[in-house]
């Protein structure tokens, strides 16, 4: 089989790392694998970036001003289509299509015209809403959008609300041809079944990570010594990528740090200087001294060492699917605490962590304190890592996708 995956990025961020994992494992399994992506750093062999930075920036500006996302990038999409003509894939595996890098009509007219079977992995809700990645408490997507209550949420519209028109156009483009819809969480699978994709097979394949070479428990004492932390101090870890988006819940983990005070240190990896204002009060002073901010890193081993040295990982998102960061932490033996939204409760079930009421600061604080104090009956480090190796290895994930590919080719 020849598989072509399409995503916004390659090996940068949660969904992009899933794409990279699938690509590497397919190659290892002897399949012909290709990846086409629109943005970010240069990828590995068998990958092709078809956008330029100016094209992405222009598309983002137009999308935010006019309120339409996925109707620009014509030159870049022509390059993608030429690449697809060269590859001639048996299966096109779609991932996150929003991100200011694609022209939806051009891509789907090509796929539908060539009758190429598709696997489409939903990493959020964008494929079946008028525009937003997460709908929160809004259910207009079930019947048609319009008058969007969250126009500023990513992908944002600053002026015009085109969600009703885009919902209709997306339904027309996306619901043709042979497809299997895949989501990483049972929660999102159920949402997909209630959308205009309800006539397609909708299945759950949990995200997988590299639990053999990268994300496994490291020596906690050695990691703490390496990065300058004391052996006995309490350490809370968070991933700060995307904290400018309110959905990511930065204010909750920062308030958590303030409430913990000298009782723990909170390490935030992926910090951007633009977020510095979050750490200052109205008088310009730092609101707490126990937060350690670190820039984003592409060093997976360094991430694994930080996951391993922490006592607890906190994911404060107010909307989330099935976060790979949470899997990575647990694969390194560190339990997680998060809000009971999206797929987070699925990830934390069975003694792997604690899910508390969304937006409830007191419950979040209490859960973290109880983990730090060893009061919760959670899985131990090795047992937790073993569960993730069993349920969320990239080998298991790719095996499930290969089964979907084969079944789709036989139809």
């Amino acid at each position: 089989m020849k598989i072509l995956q399409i995503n916004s990025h390659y090996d940068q961020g949660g969904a992009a790392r899933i794409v990279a994992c699938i690509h590497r494992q397919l190659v290892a399994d002897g399949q012909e694998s290709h990846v086409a992506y629109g943005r970010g750093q240069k990828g590995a062999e068998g990958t092709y970036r078809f956008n330029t930075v100016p094209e992405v920036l222009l598309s983002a500006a137009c999308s935010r001003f006019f309120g339409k996302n996925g109707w620009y990038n014509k030159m870049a999409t022509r390059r993608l289509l030429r690449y697809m003509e060269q590859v001639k894939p048996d299966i096109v595996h779609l991932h996150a299509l929003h991100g200011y890098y694609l022209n939806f009509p051009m891509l789907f007219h090509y796929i539908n015209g060539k009758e190429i079977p598709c696997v489409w992995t939903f990493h959020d809700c964008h494929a079946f809403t008028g525009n937003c990645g997460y709908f929160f408490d809004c259910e207009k997507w079930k019947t048609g959008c319009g008058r969007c209550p969250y126009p500023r949420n990513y992908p944002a519209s600053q002026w015009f609300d085109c969600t009703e028109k885009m919902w209709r156009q997306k339904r027309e483009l996306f619901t043709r041809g042979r497809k299997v819809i895949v989501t990483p969480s049972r929660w999102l699978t159920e949402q997909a079944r209630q959308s205009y994709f309800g006539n397609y097979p909708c299945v759950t394949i949990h995200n997988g990570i590299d639990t053999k070479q990268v994300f496994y428990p490291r020596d906690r004492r050695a990691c703490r010594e390496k990065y300058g932390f004391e052996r006995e101090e309490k350490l809370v870890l968070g991933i700060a990528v995307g904290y400018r988006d309110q959905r990511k819940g930065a204010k909750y983990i920062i308030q958590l740090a303030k409430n913990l005070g000298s009782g723990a240190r909170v390490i935030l990896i992926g910090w951007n200087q633009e977020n510095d204002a979050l750490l200052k009060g109205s008088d310009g002073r730092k609101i707490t001294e126990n937060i350690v901010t670190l820039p984003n890193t592409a060093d997976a081993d360094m991430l694994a060492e930080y996951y391993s040295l922490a006592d607890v990982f906190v994911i404060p998102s107010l909307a989330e699917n099935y976060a790979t960061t949470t899997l990575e932490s647990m694969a390194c033996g560190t339990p997680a605490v998060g809000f009971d939204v999206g797929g987070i409760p699925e990830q934390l079930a069975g003694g792997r962590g604690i899910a508390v009421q969304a937006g409830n600061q007191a419950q979040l604080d209490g859960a973290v304190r109880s983990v730090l104090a060893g009061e919760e009956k959670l899985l131990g480090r090795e047992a937790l890592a073993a569960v993730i190796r069993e349920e969320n290895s990239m080998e298991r994930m790719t095996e499930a996708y290969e089964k979907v590919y084969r079944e789709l080719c036989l139809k």
Side-chain angles (χ1 to χ4, degrees), residues 86-143:
Q86 295 173 14
V87 171
K88 298 189 183 313
D90 299 309
I91 298 280
V92 169
H93 187 167
L94 305 170
H95 290 271
L97 300 190
H98 56 89
Y100 315 120
Y101 75 104
L102 264 179
N103 183 285
F104 295 165
M106 291 175 66
L107 175 62
F108 281 90
H109 286 324
Y110 178 87
I111 290 173
N112 296 335
K114 296 285 185 179
E115 298 183 343
I116 305 173
C118 290
V119 175
W120 194 345
T121 299
F122 294 171
H123 297 279
D124 59 21
C125 310
H126 181 268
F128 54 81
T129 68
N131 191 44
C132 59
Y134 290 93
F135 51 79
F136 296 95
D137 57 343
C138 176
E139 295 193 343
K140 292 183 178 182
W141 55 273
K142 294 181 179 180
T143 55

Side-chain angles (χ1 to χ4, degrees), residues 133-411:
Y134 290 93
F135 51 79
F136 296 95
D137 57 343
C138 176
E139 295 193 343
K140 292 183 178 182
W141 55 273
K142 294 181 179 180
T143 55
C145 291
R147 295 185 179 181
C148 179
Y150 303 112
R152 300 292 186 271
N153 287 357
Y154 179 81
S157 171
Q158 299 297 328
W159 300 101
F160 301 103
D161 184 345
C162 298
T163 54
E164 181 180 3
K165 183 176 182 180
M166 281 195 293
W167 186 90
R168 286 188 281 104
Q169 291 176 319
K170 288 163 73 173
R171 180 183 60 178
E172 177 68 17
L173 288 169
F174 296 169
T175 57
R176 295 183 181 183
R178 284 186 292 157
K179 287 186 182 69
V180 174
I181 305 303
V182 178
T183 90
S185 68
R186 292 188 295 274
W187 166 78
L188 189 52
T189 298
E190 181 56 33
Q191 310 311 306
R193 287 173 178 156
Q194 296 180 48
S195 75
Y196 49 62
F197 288 101
N199 291 328
Y200 285 103
C202 299
V203 300
T204 304
I205 298 177
H206 291 318
N207 287 340
I209 57 174
D210 187 345
T211 57
K212 291 182 177 179
Q213 302 298 321
V214 181
F215 298 107
Y216 59 88
R218 313 297 176 96
D219 186 285
R220 175 171 288 179
R221 183 180 299 179
C223 290
R224 289 190 172 205
E225 183 177 340
K226 178 178 179 178
Y227 293 107
F229 296 101
E230 297 296 328
R231 183 184 305 177
E232 301 300 327
E233 67 180 317
K234 303 299 184 181
L235 298 178
V236 178
L237 181 66
I239 299 298
V241 176
Y243 269 9
R244 283 176 290 176
D245 185 345
Q246 291 186 0
R247 175 180 73 85
K248 290 294 186 178
K251 68 178 185 179
Y252 296 102
I253 196 168
I254 292 171
Q255 186 62 46
L256 167 69
K258 184 178 179 181
N259 294 344
L260 290 174
S262 60
R265 297 175 76 182
V266 176
I267 307 165
L268 300 178
I269 299 179
W271 190 262
N272 189 310
Q273 287 186 343
E274 294 180 8
N275 296 330
D276 286 349
L278 297 173
L279 301 181
K280 297 178 181 178
S282 57
D283 58 359
R285 296 181 180 181
K286 291 179 67 174
I287 60 175
T288 185
E289 297 292 335
N290 63 333
I291 292 180
V292 179
T293 60
L294 300 171
N296 200 16
T297 177
D299 187 338
D301 284 303
M302 176 183 171
L303 277 175
E305 289 168 345
Y306 268 95
Y307 287 131
S308 297
L309 64 79
D311 294 293
V312 61
F313 177 78
V314 175
I315 177 166
S317 299
L318 294 170
E320 195 67 65
N321 182 12
Y322 197 86
T324 54
T325 55
T326 306
L327 295 180
E328 291 165 358
S329 174
M330 295 188 296
C332 294
T334 299
V337 171
F339 291 134
D340 59 351
V341 296
I344 291 178
E346 297 171 42
Q347 292 185 282
L348 304 189
R352 288 171 287 188
I354 305 172
V356 302
Q357 182 183 36
N360 191 316
Q361 186 72 55
Q363 287 189 14
L364 182 71
D365 295 353
V368 171
R369 290 181 190 275
S370 66
V371 175
L372 293 176
E375 298 170 352
E376 292 291 333
K377 294 182 179 180
L378 302 178
L379 295 174
R381 281 170 56 80
E382 294 300 329
L384 177 56
V387 168
I388 303 303
R389 282 197 301 272
E390 172 64 24
E391 298 184 3
N392 295 102
S393 69
M394 66 178 182
E395 293 86 359
R396 179 167 179 164
M397 175 186 68
T398 308
E399 182 181 333
Y401 274 117
E402 288 189 50
K403 181 181 178 182
V404 172
Y405 297 156
R406 289 193 297 269
E407 292 176 349
L408 190 54
C409 280
L410 291 174
K411 289 183 179 180

